[in-house]
Amino acid sequence: MALTGVGIFLALDLPLPFLFGPMFACLFAALTGLPLKGFGDISVGARTILGVAVGASITPALFHQLPTMMVSIAMIPVFILAIGAVGVPFFSRVWKLDQTTSYYAAMPGGLQDMVIFGTEAGGDPRALSLIHATRVLIIVTIAPFVLSTLYGASLNNPIGAPATEIPLLELILMAIAAIGGWKIGVRVGLFGASILGPMIATAALSLGELIHVRPPREAILFAQFFIGVGIGVNFVGVTFKELKRFVAAGIAYVALLAILAELFSQLVYSFGLGGKVEAFLAFAPGGQAEMTVLAIIAGADLGYVVTHHLVRIILVITGAPLIAGLIRRSRLRD
């Protein structure tokens, strides 16, 4: 199904065929009841390519930018609080979800992380899975069109040099950083190990002047393909009742998130804290992997965008167990 989607998008000259083709083909197949499964560790491994791409963008020049980024980074906690203040009542009062599910549905962390943490805290795993999958699907679908129509960004930027143009030693070092960083990250319990592990390993190589380019074009397309599949497959087994409730709630919530994200990105741009495209991508509440892909496609400052998303995800994930404890104590008192 994914390969068919790529073929259709290429034949019709539609945008982002290696991301949108698999995503929409698998989404269609999932909604029609076909028994799809994701690719497991292959999909997780594909994310290591994005970690390497981010790590390669971490150069001494990025550290010189950090002081100018600090103000916009400091807005991330305020952004998260605003999301919680709007999102939790939205899900609990409008969509009548329990308090635990409402909190974890509202928080814009990683899809898997929020489902795992929310389930452990007593939330509804199916509701969380579908709401977050819907959030990622819509943001990934709409963001490219917003970038091209409202911000004038080109989506035809080179995503990487062909593998034949990259020195063999650098390709080998990138492969070692990808696999080694991933496995070491898993071993030490690093959250988001498939992206952060390779990112840290590659950043060390980049700062040591051993790597000077991103992963090759073919590798980035490979990563796009499996990210697209993963988004579509999240909707396998969805029922009409779930579409009417959880998916509809996710769609409505994205509209609220879009307003908040646009407000913060406009503040960042207005105060000269970042470019239009970078500010939009930095505050777009999509998944880290998906936003990395879009930043590469749009030719944005990858270091700027990813730094903001890392701060957001770290704050959401580290705050999740604390909130879960507060919710449990509140239940015991009741």
Side-chain angles (χ1 to χ4, degrees), residues 165-278:
E165 295 181 8
I166 297 176
L168 180 59
L169 177 60
E170 294 201 23
L171 289 174
I172 293 171
L173 288 174
M174 283 190 270
I176 292 171
I179 298 170
W182 172 25
K183 294 303 179 182
I184 292 171
V186 170
R187 181 67 62 87
V188 301
L190 181 69
F191 79 89
S194 61
I195 292 181
L196 293 187
M199 183 192 81
I200 293 167
T202 308
L205 294 172
S206 175
L207 292 171
E209 305 250 333
L210 294 173
I211 285 179
H212 306 88
V213 292
R214 285 180 192 159
R217 179 177 183 273
E218 297 87 349
I220 300 291
L221 293 176
F222 181 83
Q224 287 184 37
F225 179 87
F226 285 101
I227 286 170
V229 170
I231 295 171
V233 168
N234 277 317
F235 291 87
V236 167
V238 65
T239 64
F240 179 73
K241 182 179 178 182
E242 289 172 331
L243 274 174
K244 194 167 66 171
R245 190 177 185 203
F246 301 139
V247 175
I251 293 170
Y253 186 49
V254 169
L256 293 178
L257 285 177
I259 294 169
L260 285 172
E262 181 64 12
L263 173 62
F264 276 83
S265 65
Q266 286 299 327
L267 283 172
V268 167
Y269 176 68
S270 299
F271 287 107
L273 304 173
K276 276 187 177 180
V277 172
E278 283 76 12

Side-chain angles (χ1 to χ4, degrees), residues 1-2 22-36 232 235-237:
M1 288 304 302
M23 184 175 80
F24 284 116
C26 289
L27 174 64
F28 172 78
L31 294 178
T32 55
L34 290 182
L36 304 185
F235 291 87
V236 167

Side-chain angles (χ1 to χ4, degrees), residues 9-10 12-21 24 144-145 155-156:
F9 269 64
L10 286 171
L12 298 177
D13 197 26
L14 295 172
L16 308 181
F18 286 88
L19 177 64
F20 282 173
F24 284 116
F145 298 100
L155 301 181
N156 297 315

Side-chain angles (χ1 to χ4, degrees), residues 98 100-101 104 116-125 128 328 331:
D98 64 83
T100 303
T101 304
Y104 285 96
I116 291 168
F117 286 143
T119 302
E120 288 178 352
D124 182 337
L128 292 170
R328 285 196 196 98
R331 280 178 174 171

Side-chain angles (χ1 to χ4, degrees), residues 124-149:
D124 182 337
R126 188 62 174 167
L128 292 170
S129 178
L130 288 173
I131 288 168
H132 283 293
T134 302
R135 168 176 63 89
V136 172
L137 172 70
I138 294 176
I139 289 171
V140 170
T141 302
I142 292 175
F145 298 100
V146 172
L147 287 168
S148 59
T149 56

Side-chain angles (χ1 to χ4, degrees), residues 280-304:
F280 171 78
L281 288 170
F283 285 88
Q288 183 186 351
E290 293 80 16
M291 292 300 101
T292 300
V293 167
L294 292 178
I296 291 171
I297 291 167
D301 183 335
L302 197 54
Y304 181 95

